[in-house]
Amino acid sequence: MTKSRGHVIVVGAGIAGLSTAWALIRRGFRVSVFEQGPIPNPRASSYDEHRITRHAYGTLEGYGHLMPRAFRMYERLFQDIGARHFLPGSLFYFLRDPVDWYEPVARTMTALGKRFHEVPLADVPERFPMIETKGLTQVVETEEAGMLFPIRILTDLTVWLGNAGVAFHADARVEAVDPEAGTVVANGETHRADRVVIAAGAWVNKLTPLVADSVVPSRQAVMYLTPPAELVDAWKNAPVMIDLGTESGTYSLPPKNGTRLKIGDHVFTRAGDADGDRIATAADLARLNRAARLAYRDFDRYRVIERKICFYTVTRDPSEEFQVRPWGSRAWVLSACSGHGFKLGPLMGEGVAAAIAGEASDEATTKWAAGRMSPEEAAAMEHAG
């Protein structure tokens, strides 16, 4: 029997926590996962029908350069769990106002060897009958993107981890973590490990002060919709679409593989408590409704079938950098950021596991996870790992 390389407690069973557990198990560690609810937890931000994945990252070019490896890491995970919960396709961007987006995307996509091209504005009404064409200045198609199916990924990954020997502690709310002793207190009971990883999403600041200066919870609203009858087929055949207007900015995921049409926006509230409800109020939806009316034709004719709140952690500044840092001598904090957590979850979990295993330095891991390495530095780190 292979000797364990040590015991690691992972706090949080969203994509970041489960991916970290997966990467640690693959390296021979013994792993325990603590989650305040069921596993997977419907209250977790990771628990969703579909999420966007892509290579185009606008001004966040460091993350664009991480995405090829993020795609490969998902393929490795899919191979392990025995199911490929990913629908590849193009992603279309609809630009309405002057935004600093096209030039960095063109630079990154060219460097990565990924295809992109402009779509003539005259083609939009026929190809995208749901799109409001007023104010459009540019439409760009970027290839090698698509949709991930989170609930299915989390469920199958949980099964795989359980079969691999991970000890799950569901309904175990962590109250305290000691980063020097390697202890976790959950439901009044103390548990000890060689290392602890906090991957608690929007609850992170309740467990550690380490990233409180950098990230805050953000209450975000999304809507699931039924389109007007004459647009049902158009939406069934639609790609993932992102509107980059200053006022109209939205993202939309079409109904594919048993999911519903979903729209949301990328304007962060930087407010709210993750222990709050998940029901979107009229105030929560005010900005999204205004934006959607500018992005989609006849939006008032869409029927809302669910109004939902999720909580992200987002940076206090506009950088949207992941906060992945060592805490004390025995703990790591893995704080995803700004809705990018799911597409990068397995890659970030791999990075933390590599640091715990001594394959990369703490400093390099923090810089890499924040997207602040040059492509050459990131490639060298990947090769070393």
Side-chain angles (χ1 to χ4, degrees):
M1 182 176 178
T2 303
K3 183 179 180 180
S4 170
R5 299 177 66 179
H7 178 211
V8 181
I9 288 176
V10 177
V11 180
I15 190 61
L18 293 183
S19 293
T20 303
W22 169 70
L24 289 165
I25 283 287
R26 289 173 59 92
R27 286 171 166 78
F29 288 89
R30 182 165 66 89
V31 180
S32 300
V33 174
F34 285 74
E35 169 58 47
Q36 63 181 317
I39 302 175
N41 189 347
R43 287 175 61 85
S45 295
S46 296
Y47 196 87
D48 200 357
E49 293 181 16
H50 40 11
R51 290 283 175 87
I52 300 170
T53 189
R54 65 189 191 272
H55 290 89
Y57 248 95
T59 58
L60 303 178
E61 294 182 71
Y63 284 113
H65 285 283
L66 288 180
M67 286 311 298
R69 191 179 177 203
F71 273 82
R72 293 196 298 274
M73 199 58 59
Y74 257 114
E75 293 302 332
R76 185 183 299 175
L77 186 150
F78 291 149
Q79 185 174 11
D80 275 359
I81 66 176
R84 191 172 189 251
H85 298 306
F86 168 59
L87 182 65
S90 293
L91 197 160
F92 286 76
Y93 293 86
F94 298 83
L95 285 72
R96 299 178 188 274
D97 303 296
V99 291
D100 184 15
W101 181 85
Y102 184 78
E103 183 178 341
V105 164
R107 183 167 53 240
T108 303
M109 297 289 279
T110 299
L112 296 176
K114 306 301 179 184
R115 296 183 297 273
F116 66 100
H117 65 273
E118 293 192 55
V119 176
L121 294 179
D123 293 351
V124 173
E126 182 176 355
R127 292 185 65 179
F128 305 102
M130 70 287 287
I131 294 295
E132 175 56 66
T133 57
K134 183 180 179 181
L136 280 181
T137 59
Q138 187 181 27
V139 178
V140 179
E141 177 184 5
T142 61
E143 300 185 21
E144 296 187 58
M147 296 192 298
L148 297 162
F149 299 98
I151 294 173
R152 303 172 202 184
I153 292 170
L154 294 175
T155 300
D156 283 354
L157 183 53
T158 297
V159 171
W160 187 90
L161 290 169
N163 291 341
V166 168
F168 286 116
H169 297 260
D171 301 311
R173 188 177 180 100
V174 172
E175 302 146 16
V177 176
D178 186 328
E180 300 298 340
T183 58
V184 165
V185 179
N187 296 346
E189 184 178 352
T190 300
H191 304 262
R192 187 177 301 276
D194 299 293
R195 295 292 188 96
V196 177
V197 177
I198 299 174
W203 286 269
V204 63
N205 291 342
K206 296 176 182 287
L207 296 176
T208 171
L210 185 70
V211 295
D213 62 333
S214 302
V215 303
V216 292
S218 190
R219 180 181 173 93
Q220 301 296 133
V222 298
M223 290 190 288
Y224 298 88
L225 307 161
T226 297
E230 71 273 15
L231 293 177
V232 167
D233 287 340
W235 274 111
K236 284 181 180 178
N237 297 314
V240 177
M241 296 184 287
I242 294 179
D243 184 294
L244 292 177
T246 304
E247 299 297 326
S248 60
T250 60
Y251 60 87
S252 57
L253 292 100
K256 305 276 189 181
N257 293 7
T259 65
R260 299 169 292 176
L261 168 61
K262 182 178 79 171
I263 67 167
D265 67 25
H266 201 62
V267 176
F268 304 123
T269 68
R270 292 185 171 86
D273 186 329
D275 285 321
D277 65 68
R278 297 298 186 273
I279 301 171
T281 66
D284 289 320
L285 292 167
R287 193 273 165 193
L288 179 55
N289 273 309
R290 288 195 303 271
R293 291 186 182 101
L294 297 172
Y296 309 102
R297 291 178 53 246
D298 300 323
F299 182 72
D300 288 331
R301 296 179 57 222
Y302 286 68
R303 289 176 291 164
V304 178
I305 51 181
E306 185 181 357
R307 301 169 177 85
K308 180 181 177 181
I309 289 295
C310 63
F311 279 89
Y312 297 136
T313 48
V314 304
T315 47
R316 294 180 182 274
D317 62 29
S319 68
E320 300 188 29
E321 293 181 351
F322 280 65
Q323 302 297 307
V324 178
R325 306 184 200 171
W327 182 32
S329 60
R330 292 181 180 269
W332 275 86
V333 174
L334 196 177
S335 181
C337 194
S338 311
H340 305 312
F342 207 93
K343 63 179 70 65
L344 285 156
L347 181 60
M348 292 295 146
E350 171 74 8
V352 171
I356 289 174
E359 299 165 17
S361 72
D362 295 356
E363 181 181 5
T365 299
T366 296
K367 183 179 178 182
W368 165 83
R372 289 189 276 109
M373 278 188 172
S374 69
E376 295 75 20
E377 288 176 312
M381 181 171 168
E382 177 179 353
H383 180 72

